[in-house]
Amino acid sequence: MAPHRLSPRSSKTTTGDVQRVLAKLEASGRDLPIIKAVANWSAGFRPFVLMADALLANGSLPPVVREIAVLHIAAAQGLEYEWQEHAPMAERAGVSPAQLEALRDGGLPRGGPFDEDQLLALTAVHQLLDHGEFTGETWERLCERFGEDAALELIFVMAWWGGFVPVTVKALFPLITDGE
């Protein structure tokens, strides 16, 4: 039996709150493939967009640090969709070509083109990837350097792009049809 297929959604193929939010995202060019897929779930669509927006546009973690963390997650876990979506965002946030190259292999960069803040975030993400937690020392350093709010945000960056988004992409993308 063939799987039930989903169509990527747009403001033209939705109604109500989903249509309104999608129209805004389309107008701003932020209607990514994952957004069009998640728009099939009307009850969860707006909360999904709000969480992504909180992390991408309303956080207190410096954008360059966030994008370096996301790209490290993408490379370490082999998440090509995330790499493709975030590499341009990272460049706009100030990630250099040398940093992109250093992140691409997925290993924990040590020094090189990264400053102390970026290396601290990479260390925290690496500890979360490898052990599911980071040390108390790392938490203290994150809070001292970035503040508690941004340190918490880094945990949510890891949870979002290291867990929720990859599961969503891996589950939904094979079900999406080519046309609307």
Side-chain angles (χ1 to χ4, degrees), residues 15-56:
T15 60
D17 208 24
V18 174
Q19 182 181 47
R20 183 182 58 75
V21 172
L22 265 174
K24 287 181 182 180
L25 292 170
E26 291 164 356
S28 69
R30 295 185 305 156
D31 56 328
L32 301 174
I34 193 169
I35 296 291
K36 294 176 183 183
V38 175
N40 281 283
W41 181 36
S42 59
F45 178 69
R46 189 166 185 273
F48 178 89
V49 171
L50 288 172
M51 182 63 166
D53 191 56
L55 291 169
L56 286 169

Side-chain angles (χ1 to χ4, degrees), residues 57-79:
N58 296 313
S60 53
L61 194 64
V64 68
V65 172
R66 178 197 64 234
E67 291 305 320
I68 284 172
V70 171
L71 290 177
H72 179 58
I73 293 164
Q77 293 187 335
L79 306 170

Side-chain angles (χ1 to χ4, degrees), residues 89-171:
M89 290 181 212
E91 288 174 340
R92 287 190 298 273
V95 176
S96 73
Q99 290 172 317
L100 286 172
E101 186 178 323
L103 290 166
R104 194 60 167 129
D105 74 1
L108 178 60
R110 303 216 185 264
F114 300 98
D115 68 24
E116 189 176 326
D117 289 352
Q118 296 161 352
L119 288 171
L120 174 58
L122 286 166
T123 297
V125 168
H126 191 74
Q127 287 174 2
L128 287 171
L129 286 171
D130 280 1
H131 308 292
E133 62 185 357
F134 41 67
T135 66
E137 177 186 339
T138 299
W139 173 250
E140 290 303 320
R141 288 179 57 213
L142 287 168
C143 289
E144 288 171 11
R145 182 60 202 118
F146 298 115
E148 185 177 282
D149 196 51
L152 286 167
E153 185 179 325
L154 185 61
I155 293 170
F156 289 112
V157 163
M158 175 61 196
W160 188 254
W161 283 291
F164 189 83
V165 169
V167 167
T168 302
V169 167
K170 288 175 185 173

